[in-house]
Amino acid sequence: MEKKEILNKIIEIYENIVGEEVDKEKFTLSSNIKEDLGINSVGLLYLIVDIENKFDVVLHNQSIEKFVTLDDVVTYIEENI
């Protein structure tokens, strides 16, 4: 699975969490998860659970702490699916 495809699936997950369509222009691989996307700790929890279910991966606590950008998440998924 390519990075762009993974990113698009993450955007879909995010849209389901916030309950509305989002500006896809702000979702780039260099986007900061907390600052650029405005995800709070509860939203991040939902995002993690949904990513784990969608991609059948396990995001360990120590891995999650290292995720700063969407590229960090996408790369992890790409390497672990």
Side-chain angles (χ1 to χ4, degrees):
M1 187 176 297
E2 293 183 18
K3 283 190 174 202
K4 184 69 173 168
E5 187 178 354
I6 294 170
L7 181 61
N8 287 334
K9 288 181 186 266
I10 291 174
I11 292 170
E12 289 175 20
I13 292 168
Y14 182 84
E15 287 177 332
N16 287 334
I17 290 170
V18 297
E20 60 187 55
E21 194 170 325
V22 297
D23 180 9
K24 291 175 178 59
E25 293 295 315
K26 73 186 227 186
F27 279 83
T28 66
L29 291 174
S30 62
S31 295
N32 183 292
I33 296 168
K34 292 181 182 175
E35 293 173 14
D36 296 334
L37 305 181
I39 298 176
N40 62 23
S41 57
V42 173
L44 185 58
L45 257 170
Y46 283 116
L47 187 65
I48 290 166
V49 169
D50 288 352
I51 286 173
E52 288 180 330
N53 290 332
K54 181 86 169 184
F55 294 101
D56 195 28
V57 295
V58 176
L59 303 174
H60 303 285
N61 285 339
Q62 59 271 46
S63 299
I64 294 166
E65 293 171 6
K66 295 178 184 175
F67 296 154
V68 176
T69 65
L70 283 175
D71 188 52
D72 297 335
V73 178
V74 169
T75 299
Y76 182 86
I77 293 168
E78 188 178 43
E79 291 173 351
N80 289 282
I81 57 173

